[in-house]
């Protein structure tokens, strides 16, 4: 009888714990949805109102030159709002581990060197940036763009914690399980590269430290930050097999330490990427004239992508889905130089389209375009070798360079 009562009590405790975890998950989801809705509604308000102003200006029979000048500035505001929206979705995907990673063997010192000037501009002249980089640093297997995102997010957080000025320090070193700051770590035994970002700012009280990695949790004034910075850093690092540690003392400063697994490989100094060499303005000199088969199920995006390519000189065969693409591949009389296809589409995904068009047109190069290709194209979130993608939302220049 006593054993039966104990089991019933234990079952009730387990059920209560499950209900509590479920409630917490729903609260986190609500916080996430509310944060996204708040930020996107602000962005949409900017876009729709500036678009309305431009429409009013162009709707008058003879617009005033000053109003036309204002309309050009308004277009710039729309572009900046679109960039903010793109950054927000990228942070969300990175936080949810749904971002497309194009990992390679990297020396993190090189990545820090590449982004250093941008960091100096981001933090301002009132903050001194000091870097101490280990010359014997082990290489890592990571996405350079995501590492840059970690550095920028942490630098901006540090800047906001030092409104009156201070020092931002970035240092790199090698670490192994057993080192002081890895003692008791849940990370597997092995070698890691440690990137430490420290500031001399306001620091955080314990109640803030406890919630620092929660999505959309922010102590900044409304409109000053999304609250995704540290959550994104944590999402990127853990998806790469690493970890993040936070140490802060109120009024003294904060140190964020990112650990990434080291790999047994040498980092070769790569030649300049093809996009930098060939990817200047494709309309300069000899205009492109090849035929591109473009597959996009979103009508408005298919129209504007066709216009970008046609304006650059390409001949475009536009398809709204896989079946139409296969029909065009079979019936078009001349050569087709490239298949440009969306990834997530109804009935036939982009990689299925590529395989079936490749059977009709052997050897045709494929360029994928997507903002959420992770479930279809990637292996554990990483693009396989030879798969090339342009991430939405893209600019016309980014598309043409690719």
């Amino acid at each position: 009888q006593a054993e039966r009562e104990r089991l019933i009590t234990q079952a009730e405790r387990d059920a209560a714990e499950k209900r509590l975890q479920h409630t917490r998950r729903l609260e986190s989801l609500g916080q996430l949805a509310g944060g996204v809705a708040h930020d996107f509604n602000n962005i949409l308000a900017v876009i729709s109102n500036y678009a309305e102003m431009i429409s009013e200006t162009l709707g008058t029979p003879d617009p005033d030159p000053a109003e036309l000048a204002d309309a050009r500035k308004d277009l710039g505001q729309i572009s900046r709002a679109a960039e903010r929206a793109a950054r927000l979705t990228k942070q969300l995907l990175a936080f949810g581990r749904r971002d497309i990673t194009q990992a390679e063997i990297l020396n993190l010192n090189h990545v820090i060197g590449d982004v250093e000037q941008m960091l100096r501009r981001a933090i301002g002249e009132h903050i001194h940036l000091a870097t101490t980089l280990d010359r014997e640093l082990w290489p890592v297997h990571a996405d350079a763009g995501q590492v840059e995102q970690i550095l920028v997010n942490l630098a901006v957080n540090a800047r906001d914690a030092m409104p009156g000025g201070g020092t931002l320090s970035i240092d790199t070193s090698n670490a192994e399980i057993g080192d002081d700051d890895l003692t008791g770590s849940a990370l597997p035994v092995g070698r890691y590269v440690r990137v430490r970002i420290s500031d001399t700012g306001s620091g955080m009280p314990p109640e803030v430290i406890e919630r620092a990695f929660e999505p959309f949790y922010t102590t900044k004034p409304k409109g000053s930050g999304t609250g995704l910075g540290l959550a994104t850093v944590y999402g990127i690092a853990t998806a790469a097999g690493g970890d993040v540690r936070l140490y802060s003392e109120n009024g003294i400063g904060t140190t964020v330490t990112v650990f990434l697994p080291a790999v047994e490989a040498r980092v070769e100094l790569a030649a300049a990427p093809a996009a930098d060499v060939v990817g200047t303005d494709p309309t300069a000199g000899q205009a492109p004239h090849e035929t591109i088969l473009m597959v996009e199920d979103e009508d408005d995006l298919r129209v504007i992508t066709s216009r970008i390519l046609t304006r650059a000189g390409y001949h475009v065969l536009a398809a709204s889905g896989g079946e139409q693409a296969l029909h065009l591949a079979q019936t078009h009389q001349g050569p087709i130089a490239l298949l440009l296809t969306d990834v997530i589409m109804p009935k036939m995904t982009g990689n299925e389209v590529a395989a079936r068009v490749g059977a009709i047109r052997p050897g045709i190069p494929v360029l994928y375009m997507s903002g959420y290709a992770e479930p279809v194209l990637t292996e554990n979130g990483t693009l396989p070798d030879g798969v090339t993608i342009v991430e939405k939302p893209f600019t016309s220049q980014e598309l043409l360079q690719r």
Side-chain angles (χ1 to χ4, degrees), residues 234-300:
Y234 183 79
I236 291 171
T238 53
D243 198 10
V244 182
R245 299 290 172 82
L246 175 65
Y247 176 77
S248 186
E249 287 193 37
N250 211 6
I252 295 176
T254 299
T255 297
V256 179
T257 308
V258 179
F259 297 94
L260 294 175
V263 294
E264 298 285 347
R266 291 187 56 187
V267 181
E268 302 294 339
L269 288 175
D276 291 342
V277 179
V278 185
T280 51
D281 183 2
T283 58
Q286 176 66 41
H289 58 276
E290 295 94 341
T291 296
I292 294 175
L293 173 56
M294 190 262 295
V295 195
E296 170 60 64
D297 63 305
E298 181 70 38
D299 293 345
D300 292 342

Side-chain angles (χ1 to χ4, degrees), residues 40 55 61 140 275 279 324 347 383:
F40 260 105
S55 182
V140 298
Q324 193 178 359
K347 297 183 181 175
L383 284 177

Side-chain angles (χ1 to χ4, degrees), residues 149-170:
Q149 196 177 352
I150 285 175
L151 295 167
V152 171
N153 283 355
L154 294 178
V156 168
N157 279 357
R159 176 200 67 193
D160 293 344
M162 299 184 285
T167 300
L168 171 65
S169 305
I170 300 176

